[in-house]
Amino acid sequence: MALGLTTLCICCVSALPADLPAKTDAEAKAPAQVEVQRPPTPTHANVAYGTHERQVLDFYQSASDKPTPVVFHIHGGGWVAGDKKSVGGLEKYLAAGISVVSINYRYTTQAQLAGVKPPVEWPISDAARALQFVRSKATEWNLDKQRIGATGGSAGACSSLWLAFHDDLADPKSTDPVARESTRLWCAAVLGAQTSLDPQQLKEWTPNSRYGGHAFGFMPDAKDNKTRDAQFAEFLAARESVLPWIKQYSPIEHVTADDPPVWLSYSEPPALGQAQKDPTHTANYGVKLQEKCKAIGVECELVYPGAPDVRHATAQDYLIKTLKSAAK
């Protein structure tokens, strides 16, 4: 569905006033004006789910006479950059009867400057809180609280998988109605996901790995995003001292047989044990997660150039089909 569509109409010559000047040769040869299509605008923009300026979300409502499923979008940017404004496939979801939420969240750099340990607690806990907030708005926004699928790229993909696999964070005894809501998902479909934040695992899977240390405070200058990956060696050397945090925030550590199905996509084929052109988004991450999922019976579709058993070419195809299916 396309909202805010602007159509530029070209009237026929016979309808023009008689005294209108004739077109010049240049005007006659000019390309015809085309229809300009703008992306949908949020039904509700910058809705606060917390008190920090980054704890806001946009909600796009799909018109329906019954509660709609929800695509829950978490932007990428390594947890140090990015914004909620761009959602791939937004029009497709709305046209399919699926509403969309896109969130901002506090960066690890902001957490590091605030003394939060580990810094990754802020973006991950914000994603969980935003999800609970969306569920708390189900009646007002006409949403199906059960059918929520998370999506995102890179760090947003990692956060999505963490939500998919982590035990429910709902606190039924809380005096806060939002905190009583579930954090469980119907499914997740992600792009370029980091499935582990364990530097030892990452070096085994991909020898030139460099990502992840900043999530645990290994970033020399939290005011300079260019230093994000500058301390991987120090991170690896200090692994044992932060291992409880690594296990807490690595999605692969939380996979259990009762988890929802997931779909992962990478732009290049895997090559386990070999250096990668883009080690931060290598399909090696996906291969290792799929191995664990298959071993315990969790559905995990892995897509990359030449991948076998691909049933859904895009995240949009997967989410629409899965969120609209009769059952998981």
Side-chain angles (χ1 to χ4, degrees), residues 80-109:
V80 301
D83 188 81
K84 59 182 168 56
K85 61 186 177 181
S86 297
V87 183
L90 177 57
E91 293 90 342
K92 286 186 177 181
Y93 297 134
L94 298 176
I98 298 172
S99 296
V100 177
V101 169
S102 185
I103 74 167
N104 276 351
Y105 49 82
R106 294 169 295 178
Y107 299 136
T108 59
T109 45

Side-chain angles (χ1 to χ4, degrees), residues 246-289:
I246 291 170
K247 290 186 175 296
Q248 182 179 354
Y249 291 104
S250 291
I252 198 169
E253 297 290 340
H254 298 284
V255 181
T256 52
D258 60 342
D259 288 334
V262 298
W263 180 98
L264 298 85
S265 179
Y266 296 89
S267 61
E268 298 289 338
L272 285 170
Q274 299 179 30
Q276 299 287 283
K277 181 171 63 176
D278 181 6
T280 302
H281 306 99
T282 171
N284 292 349
Y285 282 113
V287 169
K288 300 308 290 187
L289 178 64

